[in-house]
Amino acid sequence: MGTRQITSSVHMICIPFTIPHPEGVQITRHVNVFIIDNGRQVTFIDTGVSGSEQILYGYLRSIGRSPASIALVVHTHAHPDHIGATRAIHEDTGCYVAIHPHERAWLEDVGLQARERPVPGFGMLVGGSVPVDRVVQEGDRISLGSHLHLRVLDTPGHSKGSVSLYLEEEGVLFTGDLIPRPDDLLIYENPLETIRSLEKIQSLPDLRILLSSWDEPYMDRRVYEALKKGAGYIHALHRLVWDLKHKHPSADTTVLGRLVLDACGLSSVPVNPLIANTIAGHLLIETLPEFNPDLG
Ligand SMILES: [Zn+2]
C-alpha cells in the first residue's frame, strides 16, 4: 500500500490511522487521499483524518508545491476518514470546499454527524465543521483551473450522497468507499444502490484507472474485475444475512451482525452501529438483482 504518483497529474497519499475501541483494542486502518496537480494549482479528493494535513503538506513540498497551491477540496462523501483534515486545510489555505448536497449537513455540522452516525473514535478522527462553498452532483463538470476537468457521477449505496469523480483527460475514476472491502464486514447503507452504482461505473467510456479510498489502483481489465468482485461480495453477504434471518427469525440487526461476523471468521470484530446498518439494508430487500456484467 503506498503513496506514489499514479499519472502525470494524479498522486495517491496513503494515510494510516487507528480507531480506539471501548474494550481497549486499537483498530488499524488507512485511507487514500488523492492530489490532482495541474502544474500550478492542486485539487484534493478527500482529506483523510484529523492531522493528515501535515502528511499532505509534506508530500506537496516533496513534489515542489506549497500548501498555498491548494485551490479546491472535493469530497467523495462525508464520513470521518474523508473529511477529517478539511477544516485545518480550509483554515490554512482558504481553498474552496465541495460535496454532494446529501452529505453537506454532515460536513457543515460534524456534531450532527456524530449524533446520527456515532462511529467509534469520531472526535479523534474529525477536526471540525467546515462551510461548504459548492455542492456537486450528477452531471456537474468541475474545471480544475487548466486543461483538467472532473465529471461528477452520483454513485449512492455506501452513503446516499456518495459520488465518484472522473478525471476525463486521463481516464481516472475516484470511487471513494463505493467498492466494498472484503477484509472487514461490508459497510454500506443500501446494497441495491451499491450494485447499481457499480454497474454505472462499468459503463463509463475510456475508463483506464480506478482509484479507491482503501485499495491499490486498478488498471485496464482489472478495473472491471474489481467491480464484479465487489458486487460478488455484496451478493455473498446478502445470501448469508437472509440464511441467518430464516434460522433466527426473531434476531435483531445487532444479533444478526454478531452471527454474520462469526460466520465470516471475524469473531474479534465488535458489532457497531455501522455493521447493524449494513444488515438492516439487506433486510429491506429479499431478492437482490444480479450484477449485470454486459454493461462493461
Ligand atoms: Zn465511508
Side-chain angles (χ1 to χ4, degrees):
M1 206 52 68
T3 295
R4 62 187 184 271
Q5 185 163 3
I6 305 291
T7 66
S8 58
S9 309
V10 177
H11 301 253
M12 177 170 94
I13 293 90
C14 181
I15 310 266
F17 64 99
T18 53
I19 302 172
H21 181 259
E23 288 159 24
V25 189
Q26 294 259 333
I27 301 170
T28 305
R29 294 271 168 147
H30 68 268
V31 64
N32 297 325
V33 171
F34 299 96
I35 293 175
I36 305 171
D37 178 7
N38 75 5
R40 288 180 296 110
Q41 294 177 325
V42 299
T43 299
F44 278 10
I45 309 289
D46 297 335
T47 63
V49 297
S50 179
S52 301
E53 66 276 9
Q54 295 310 327
I55 297 172
L56 296 169
Y57 296 166
Y59 186 85
L60 284 179
R61 291 189 188 99
S62 77
I63 60 168
R65 299 274 174 270
S66 73
S69 63
I70 303 168
L72 171 68
V73 176
V74 187
H75 298 88
T76 58
H77 62 299
H79 289 164
D81 49 335
H82 300 260
I83 65 159
T86 305
R87 182 186 177 126
I89 293 169
H90 180 252
E91 283 178 354
D92 290 345
T93 69
C95 63
Y96 287 98
V97 173
I99 198 164
H100 190 279
H102 288 159
E103 308 273 317
R104 178 180 190 160
W106 278 9
L107 177 56
E108 292 196 319
D109 181 357
V110 297
L112 176 71
Q113 179 175 175
R115 291 191 295 280
E116 292 183 348
R117 188 176 186 270
V119 305
F122 186 94
M124 285 175 60
L125 299 175
V126 177
S129 303
V130 191
V132 170
D133 302 292
R134 176 172 178 179
V135 290
V136 291
Q137 54 196 316
E138 180 76 25
D140 287 351
R141 190 164 181 260
I142 306 169
S143 168
L144 301 186
S146 68
H147 62 295
L148 298 175
H149 297 84
L150 273 181
R151 196 195 311 169
V152 182
L153 293 93
D154 284 359
T155 49
H158 175 70
S159 70
K160 61 181 182 301
S162 281
V163 296
S164 295
L165 300 158
Y166 187 50
L167 184 63
E168 295 174 339
E169 291 79 6
E170 298 190 343
V172 178
L173 185 73
F174 306 91
T175 55
D177 284 345
L178 170 63
I179 300 177
R181 50 185 304 153
D183 58 340
D184 201 349
L185 195 74
L186 313 183
I187 301 292
Y188 37 70
E189 293 179 0
N190 187 315
L192 176 58
E193 284 189 342
T194 305
I195 296 276
R196 293 290 182 242
S197 292
L198 293 171
E199 286 176 344
K200 183 178 188 176
I201 282 173
Q202 198 181 216
S203 64
L204 254 186
D206 304 320
L207 174 56
R208 287 181 45 234
I209 302 176
L210 187 148
L211 297 173
S212 150
S213 294
W214 60 272
D215 209 352
E216 284 292 308
Y218 290 100
M219 314 279 184
D220 303 318
R221 284 304 310 164
R222 291 196 64 229
V223 169
Y224 302 98
E225 289 165 16
L227 297 173
K228 204 173 158 191
K229 215 167 169 184
Y233 296 138
I234 295 169
H235 276 284
L237 182 59
H238 193 73
R239 287 190 293 274
L240 177 60
V241 167
W242 275 100
D243 279 355
L244 289 166
K245 183 66 182 169
H246 288 135
K247 280 182 199 149
H248 308 272
S250 61
D252 65 13
T253 52
T254 305
V255 173
L256 280 175
R258 182 70 273 147
L259 293 169
V260 166
L261 284 166
D262 290 347
C264 295
L266 297 166
S267 299
S268 62
V269 175
V271 180
N272 64 37
L274 308 185
I275 289 170
N277 202 33
T278 299
I279 305 289
H282 281 285
L283 292 176
L284 285 176
I285 175 170
E286 191 151 1
T287 307
L288 191 60
E290 284 302 318
F291 179 68
N292 186 351
D294 297 332
L295 293 175

